[in-house]
Amino acid sequence: TPSSRWYSGSGIYRSVNLTMTEKVHVDLEGTQITTENLKAEQGGTVNMDVRTQVVNDSEDEQDVTLTHTVFPKGADESAAIGTVTTEAKTVASGESDEIEITLEAQSPALWSVDSPTLYTVRTEVKLGENTVDVYDTEYGFRYFDFDNNTGFSLNGQNTKLKGVCMHHDQGALGSASEHDAVYRQVSKLKEMGCNAIRTSHNMPAPELIRACDEMGMMVMAESFDEWKAMKVKNGYRHVFDEWAVKDLTNLLRHYRNNPSVVMWCIGNEVPEQWDGNKGPKMSYFLQELCHREDPTRPVT
C-alpha cells in the first residue's frame, strides 16, 4: 500500500534492543547535556549542565545520588577530565524526578568536521554506597551560530554547509540500517567534500547519527513528510493527532546530545505551509515543542 512518495520499507528494519534495569534507573533518553557558555569558556574549564531523569519503580521512596564522569570516548575513567557527585535527592515510589548539576570539564577538545572528538559522560546511580545503574551518554563539545550577515559558523569559524538530502534506504540493500553500509555511505560523502546531511523524512537511524558523530558530518534531522493535509491517500495525516507529538519528542530526546545534529526540521513540503490560517499555527506548535525539549538548536 503506498504510504508516501518514497520507499519507507516494511517490517522491522531498525535494530531492536531490550534494556534490563534495576528498580531505580536513568530513564530512557534520560540525560540532557548542554554547554551554553562554551564559546567563552573554551580552552579552560567548561561548565556542563547535566540534567538526568531518574525513575523509581520500587515500592519505597529512595534517596538517590548521581556521580557524573566525563572522559574521552574509547578511554576509561582514569583519563577523566571532570567528575561531580550530586547531593542525595528523594524520589517518591512510582515517580521520576530530574536531578540537575554542573560538571566542570578541564580543557575539552572541540568537535568539528575535521576533528570529530567525542567524549563519554558516565552517570552512576547510587543508593547509599550501592551503584544500581550505569548510563553512558556520548557527547561532543562544539558551538555554532547562524548570522544574518556572515552565515553559519562552527566553533567560531565561518563554514559553508555543503550538504545532501538523503533518504534512509541503502539502495539495493534496502531499508535496513546496516552498520558497514551506513559508514561506507558517510565515508563516500566525506570524500566528495560533503560536510552535512539532511535526513528525510523521518527519524534517522542511530547508526547514521553515530557515524556522523564519529566522522565529522553535520546533520539536519527531519521529521514529517505530511502533517494533516493530504499528500497521498494513506499518508501520515491519518495518525498525526495521535502520534505527531510522541514521534517528534522521541526524535528530539534521542539525538539532543549528539554533536553532529545542528538543527531540527519539522516538515518536508507540507501543503499547510502555504495556508495562511493553518500553516503558521502548526509551524509554531511544532517549533515550540522542539524548543521545549532542546532550546540550543534552530528549527526549520
Side-chain angles (χ1 to χ4, degrees), residues 18-300:
L18 177 65
T19 302
M20 306 294 289
T21 69
E22 298 291 338
K23 297 289 186 181
V24 180
H25 57 273
V26 176
D27 200 3
L28 180 67
E29 275 98 48
T31 58
Q32 184 173 15
I33 303 168
T34 55
T35 49
E36 295 189 30
N37 296 319
L38 179 58
K39 180 178 180 179
E41 296 170 337
Q42 63 168 314
T45 300
V46 173
N47 289 323
M48 307 173 66
D49 184 37
V50 184
R51 299 180 179 91
T52 309
Q53 197 72 25
V54 176
V55 177
N56 177 16
D57 286 331
S58 72
E59 297 179 354
D60 303 302
E61 66 178 28
Q62 300 288 348
D63 293 328
V64 178
T65 301
L66 302 180
T67 296
H68 303 293
T69 306
V70 56
F71 51 92
K73 180 182 176 181
D76 56 37
E77 294 180 57
S78 65
I81 62 170
T83 187
V84 67
T85 299
T86 68
E87 295 182 356
K89 185 170 186 178
T90 302
V91 182
S93 172
E95 300 291 335
S96 67
D97 206 346
E98 183 178 85
I99 300 176
E100 181 178 359
I101 197 170
T102 298
L103 167 61
E104 294 184 347
Q106 302 299 319
S107 303
L110 297 184
W111 183 96
S112 69
V113 294
D114 296 321
S115 182
T117 304
L118 296 172
Y119 290 85
T120 298
V121 180
R122 178 159 294 164
T123 300
E124 297 176 77
V125 181
K126 297 181 179 180
L127 304 180
E129 296 298 319
N130 297 323
T131 300
V132 295
D133 191 21
V134 178
Y135 188 97
D136 285 351
T137 304
E138 282 196 8
Y139 190 74
F141 294 85
R142 57 99 180 97
Y143 62 94
F144 61 84
D145 185 47
F146 287 89
D147 183 270
N148 291 341
N149 298 310
T150 60
F152 176 79
S153 64
L154 178 65
N155 300 329
Q157 300 295 317
N158 187 259
T159 304
K160 299 298 183 185
L161 293 165
K162 302 174 182 178
V164 296
C165 171
M166 192 168 73
H167 287 151
H168 79 110
D169 69 281
Q170 291 291 326
L173 299 181
S175 286
S177 294
E178 202 277 327
H179 175 277
D180 287 356
V182 170
Y183 275 71
R184 175 185 179 276
Q185 188 176 40
V186 175
S187 177
K188 289 291 185 182
L189 290 172
K190 290 280 289 187
E191 291 175 8
M192 290 167 55
C194 293
N195 64 10
I197 293 173
R198 169 233 176 176
T199 65
S200 49
H201 314 282
N202 56 357
M203 180 171 173
E207 288 85 355
L208 174 63
I209 302 301
R210 192 177 304 121
C212 292
D213 281 347
E214 294 178 357
M215 301 174 70
M217 182 76 77
M218 293 178 287
V219 176
M220 182 178 90
E222 185 173 276
S223 49
F224 311 110
D225 189 40
E226 188 176 270
W227 291 347
K228 300 177 75 169
M230 176 176 162
K231 290 174 72 173
V232 290
K233 180 179 178 181
N234 295 297
Y236 189 82
R237 75 184 192 282
H238 293 295
V239 298
F240 185 90
D241 287 335
E242 179 183 0
W243 282 97
V245 171
K246 289 183 281 190
D247 282 342
L248 184 54
T249 300
N250 189 41
L251 168 70
L252 297 164
R253 292 183 180 178
H254 205 75
Y255 297 130
R256 61 189 177 186
N257 294 316
N258 294 84
S260 60
V261 178
V262 296
M263 62 181 116
W264 308 109
C265 178
I266 54 175
N268 168 65
E269 300 173 3
V270 288
E272 289 101 316
Q273 68 180 301
W274 298 290
D275 186 325
N277 294 318
K278 298 178 181 178
K281 293 179 182 178
M282 183 60 74
S283 296
Y284 183 76
F285 170 74
L286 296 174
Q287 174 186 281
E288 287 300 289
L289 176 58
C290 292
H291 288 163
R292 182 194 76 187
E293 295 293 330
D294 171 36
T296 70
R297 294 176 177 87
V299 181
T300 180

